Amino acid sequence: MIATSLLDDCRRLAFTVAPELEANPLYVVDAETLAGTPNPADCLGFARRGNWMDYETIDRIGDAWTGPGPLIALDGEVIRESHGENFTAAVTGTMVHELAHILPAIEARELSHRQPGDKMDCDAVRQNQAVSLSRSIAKPAAEPGSCIDPHNDQFIRRTCHVYSRAVAHGWDVSIDGLFGGSLWFACQPAHWITSLLPELHSMRTASFAEIETATPPEAFTKLWQSSLDLYRSFQDPRGDIDEQI
């Protein structure tokens, strides 16, 4: 389990780099807290934006539940197994990654209007919620660059902004695996950060909604396109060794 003090530090990190998140509750928990509910397996962490929350998860959050808001679960056991030599920095690095999934922040009004009421809570509804979550988790990974790809160029851009702000405020954040395993075809994080340096400085106090609507630097756009080209070259059947023999 991740110590409560470290989880609290992660929440403070979130509010430091993205003050707009303070408009709603933000739940940061060890994934073990949610054991027994449908959740991704063997991940360092996962996030839910908060526009929908199932009853079982609300029960697991317990007395800490104060209303709808985004959820970030960090798997302390998996993080320790893969980054045991620098556990704290790896936890905050995972937090940075997951924060990029819940930004830009959802407005409080939208959150409150999309939650199931207490009167709907029953075994049948809970079972249906569990099935829906399980199906969502079991879906195959989205095609890189597609409109439903959760690790697209905008995600990379947000992650770089979160990381840059966290480091600037003195947080110890591991850059190793910052984007996760699905971006195996992309450059190392340092290259992306370099391509965004002017923007990271000029928009260091901007909200993530403002960042999302701004045109990214050309260097960043070119880097993303070259990464997609590399990915597609691996998918090209003409590159298959068996086809060439």
Side-chain angles (χ1 to χ4, degrees):
M1 289 282 287
I2 300 172
T4 301
S5 58
L6 182 51
L7 294 173
D8 289 342
D9 282 345
C10 286
R11 288 185 75 254
R12 282 191 287 272
L13 184 156
F15 296 142
T16 298
V17 302
E20 59 266 37
L21 286 171
E22 295 189 49
N24 299 302
L26 171 62
Y27 303 100
V28 182
V29 302
D30 189 295
E32 188 173 313
T33 302
L34 305 179
T37 63
N39 294 306
D42 302 322
C43 293
L44 299 182
F46 60 89
R48 299 182 191 170
R49 284 179 56 77
N51 52 340
W52 183 84
M53 191 71 74
D54 61 291
Y55 290 121
E56 287 294 332
T57 298
I58 292 173
D59 285 350
R60 300 283 179 171
I61 292 173
D63 293 340
W65 175 261
T66 57
L71 165 74
I72 291 177
L74 308 171
D75 197 320
E77 183 177 350
V78 176
I79 294 173
R80 195 177 296 279
E81 288 176 356
S82 56
H83 298 83
E85 69 285 352
N86 197 354
F87 180 70
T88 298
V91 169
T92 53
T94 305
M95 181 68 185
V96 165
H97 175 105
E98 300 305 335
L99 269 174
H101 281 305
I102 67 170
L103 290 166
I106 298 177
E107 293 186 8
R109 178 180 299 179
E110 182 181 350
L111 284 177
S112 62
H113 286 179
R114 298 185 65 177
Q115 297 303 310
D118 291 340
K119 293 181 180 179
M120 294 175 60
D121 190 2
C122 64
D123 290 342
V125 170
R126 285 177 178 248
Q127 183 176 4
N128 183 62
Q129 289 178 340
V131 170
S132 296
L133 271 174
S134 297
R135 287 176 177 171
S136 176
I137 293 167
K139 287 181 180 179
E143 180 75 8
S146 68
C147 61
I148 60 171
D149 178 17
H151 296 102
N152 58 13
D153 54 334
Q154 288 287 57
F155 166 80
I156 293 175
R157 188 185 184 192
R158 290 192 299 270
T159 304
C160 289
H161 275 273
V162 174
Y163 174 82
S164 174
R165 294 181 183 191
V167 171
H169 282 89
W171 297 91
D172 182 14
V173 183
S174 173
I175 199 172
D176 181 31
L178 196 61
F179 300 140
S182 63
L183 283 166
W184 55 267
F185 57 89
C187 298
Q188 294 298 312
H191 293 93
W192 295 98
I193 292 169
T194 300
S195 74
L196 284 167
L197 275 178
E199 179 182 277
L200 295 177
H201 176 72
S202 64
M203 302 195 76
R204 62 190 182 279
T205 60
S207 72
F208 279 82
E210 292 171 327
I211 293 170
E212 203 86 350
T213 58
T215 302
E218 184 179 359
F220 174 84
T221 303
K222 287 183 176 179
L223 196 56
W224 173 245
Q225 188 56 56
S226 65
S227 296
L228 283 182
D229 290 343
L230 177 62
Y231 169 79
R232 289 163 182 158
S233 72
F234 278 102
Q235 311 308 308
D236 189 341
R238 291 174 298 178
D240 192 303
I241 294 177
D242 292 337
E243 292 288 334
Q244 297 176 15
I245 296 177

